[in-house]
Amino acid sequence: MSFNWFKSIMPRGLYGRAALILVLPIVMIQIVVSIAFIQRHFERVTAQMTRNVVLEISFLAERADAAGDVEAARSELGRLAEALAMTVDLPASADAPAEDARVFYDLSGRVVIRTLRTMVSRVVAVNVSDLRTVGIVMVTRHGPMAIRFERSRVAATNPHQLLVLLLATGLLMTLIAFIFLRNQLRPIRRLARAAEAFGKGRTVPYRPSGAIEVRSAGNAFLDMRARIERQIEQRTLLLSGVSHDLRTPLTRLKLGLSMLGDDPEVAAMSRDVDDMQRLLDAFLAFVRGDAVEEEAQVMDPLPLVTAVIEDGRRAGQDVVLCSVTGAGVAPLRAGSVRRALENLIGNAVRYGSRAEVSLSILDRAIRITVEDDGPGIARERREEALRPFTRLDTARNQDRGTGVGLGLAITADIARGHGGTLRLGESERLGGLKAELVLAR
């Protein structure tokens, strides 16, 4: 469970993950250096500097004890304190600290207090709350003695400079590494955009660049794209020739049969020829759907959907546009989308009595839904229904249709050519088939 939570907060983009790979080691190095080196180093330096001061304050305490009276001690301490750059009050004033005091974030102050307490037994209180001075109260024969001196004598005054230097250097190196990394990732992003566009049926200019591995992947993508385009072109040319070669003998057969009279066997043969003609036309239409014959243009899908519905109504089909949500434009091949929508509407009114169309323009996709009140398609056979030349005898009433099982296959290919998909389901509103044509934006 915790691992899934960790995965959920990790960046998903290539830039984010690469930046994390760069920044995380630098931050960890900064932390380790700060803890293992800076803290220990400045603690040792502070303890050493404090031990040097211990000798001086111990000497002052001994001289105070050796004096005959308070006045003699004050005179002696005044002369010595001036030479040692300290301030001595004997006896200590009323505002002298009565207990240890420091700021909670003053780590070196803790070392100063601990060192003074350990090495000088007569120390009563140490005040380092003022980061610029140190105040000490000691016990003498003539009463409490207060000593003040500069904080710089027991602790380094600029430990933050090393931290600032580390932070500045880390930020600079991170920036340089990020710029370098961005230049390395840019060819990968360009390759991803070219592959994504080709998956949506669009061909964008692409030239391999970047590291050797990225160039190799880019060249492999260009070879793959060229092979796919060449295969589609060759198949289109081949079937154009098939169309020309087969239509001629079919025409001769029709003419020959028309001259044989009205014999029942001749009528049956004529129906067979018509079936062959219809099968040939459907097959060629299916193959033409694979070929990229039309350039995608940025357009509003609503007028296109409305025009197809109006054409269907003029042809006597009971079809309505029941809902439209969202707005925007998308790169579409108008002819292909029109053909796919006509296939879906034609199937809906062929196997049902009416069709309802819905249009949803989303952020990353366009969804066109066609629902009917026909018998629908069983869940376990919906994937089979998208295969070419598949006619589901038990799922749809074939007596009402004259197709050869290519309508849904052509529509699915058009959807894939736009980077989308065709989904089949059950209409909750009408009870028949629900076909969703999803196109990428």
Side-chain angles (χ1 to χ4, degrees), residues 132-144:
R132 293 175 296 180
T133 61
V134 177
I136 304 174
V137 177
M138 303 177 64
V139 177
T140 67
R141 188 167 63 91
H142 304 290

Side-chain angles (χ1 to χ4, degrees), residues 378-393:
R379 181 186 300 271
E380 63 274 9
R381 306 204 65 184
R382 289 170 186 168
E383 183 177 355
E384 181 185 356
L386 300 178
R387 299 173 185 170
F389 300 102
T390 298
R391 306 183 75 204
L392 307 180
D393 296 334

Side-chain angles (χ1 to χ4, degrees), residues 26 44 53 63 66 78 84 87 105 131 240 247 272 292 349 359 363-364 372 382 387 431:
I26 295 177
R44 288 195 296 265
V53 173
R63 297 305 300 172
L84 296 174
T87 301
Y105 58 82
L131 299 180
S240 297
R247 288 179 187 277
D272 290 339
V292 182
V349 297
L359 173 64
D363 293 336
R364 301 181 61 87
D372 62 54
R382 289 170 186 168
R387 299 173 185 170

Side-chain angles (χ1 to χ4, degrees), residues 9-20:
I9 64 174
M10 293 294 291
R12 297 187 178 183
L14 188 59
Y15 268 118
R17 295 187 176 185
L20 184 63

Side-chain angles (χ1 to χ4, degrees), residues 312-334:
R313 293 178 66 86
R314 284 197 299 269
Q317 296 175 340
D318 186 4
V319 54
V320 294
L321 179 63
C322 62
S323 67
V324 177
T325 59
V329 297
L332 302 174
R333 297 187 183 91

Side-chain angles (χ1 to χ4, degrees), residues 55-67 72-90 145 147-149 153:
L55 300 175
E56 299 176 0
I57 63 176
S58 298
F59 176 70
L60 291 176
E62 292 174 359
R63 297 305 300 172
D65 289 342
R74 186 182 294 115
S75 176
E76 179 71 12
L77 293 176
R79 181 177 60 83
L80 294 175
E82 184 179 358
L84 296 174
M86 294 182 178
T87 301
V88 180
D89 293 331
L90 183 66
M145 177 179 64
I147 303 175
R148 292 188 304 275
F149 53 86
R153 299 185 61 177

